[in-house]
Amino acid sequence: QVQLVESGGGSVQAGGSRRLSCAASGYGYSNGYCMAWFRQAPGKERERVARIDTAGSITYADSVKGRFTISKDNAKRTLYLDMNILKSEDTAMYYCASAGLGFGDNCRYTYWGQGTQVTVSS
């Protein structure tokens, strides 16, 4: 019963920044759910960009460490991904996902948003 809606995608110049948002709704949603951002570019495997689990532990893909920040506003039931120093290789469809209660790599993602496209030009 969790619905996730991403927003904030668009075109940006390399070196620029954008904030992606994922609004969560539904009676089954809990602020303690494991949440993550994924991305997928054409011809490439889906990649988990960032995750915050039930315990609050945050992990990032090596490719975005130091540039991206995942955060939550529990009052707004919204997950964010702040993307900085964007590179052309960051071009992808970005999705947020919820795994329910989960810890670290035991998170299993059941709910997905529709995705928002981020295109970075050089």
Side-chain angles (χ1 to χ4, degrees):
Q1 295 181 355
V2 175
Q3 294 81 46
L4 305 173
V5 180
E6 303 98 332
S7 62
S11 298
V12 61
Q13 290 285 331
S17 302
R18 292 196 78 89
R19 165 173 271 198
L20 304 184
S21 299
C22 173
S25 63
Y27 185 77
Y29 179 76
S30 168
N31 285 322
Y33 278 12
C34 181
M35 302 289 292
W37 286 98
F38 290 80
R39 68 184 182 187
Q40 188 167 27
K44 298 182 179 179
E45 295 182 347
R46 186 174 63 194
E47 174 186 32
R48 191 183 71 234
V49 176
R51 177 186 67 210
I52 178 166
D53 72 7
T54 294
S57 179
I58 295 173
T59 58
Y60 296 98
D62 288 341
S63 58
V64 306
K65 285 182 179 178
R67 300 189 298 117
F68 289 13
T69 302
I70 188 172
S71 62
K72 293 193 300 180
D73 185 328
N74 288 334
K76 295 181 179 179
R77 307 184 81 184
T78 301
L79 180 74
Y80 300 102
L81 184 68
D82 290 299
M83 305 183 295
N84 300 303
I85 318 175
L86 283 161
K87 306 174 181 179
S88 59
E89 64 197 56
D90 295 318
T91 296
M93 184 72 75
Y94 284 73
Y95 302 88
C96 69
S98 172
L101 299 179
F103 298 89
D105 291 338
N106 290 320
C107 295
R108 298 292 181 267
Y109 301 95
T110 302
Y111 304 102
W112 296 80
Q114 83 288 351
T116 186
Q117 178 69 37
V118 175
T119 301
V120 183
S121 61
S122 299

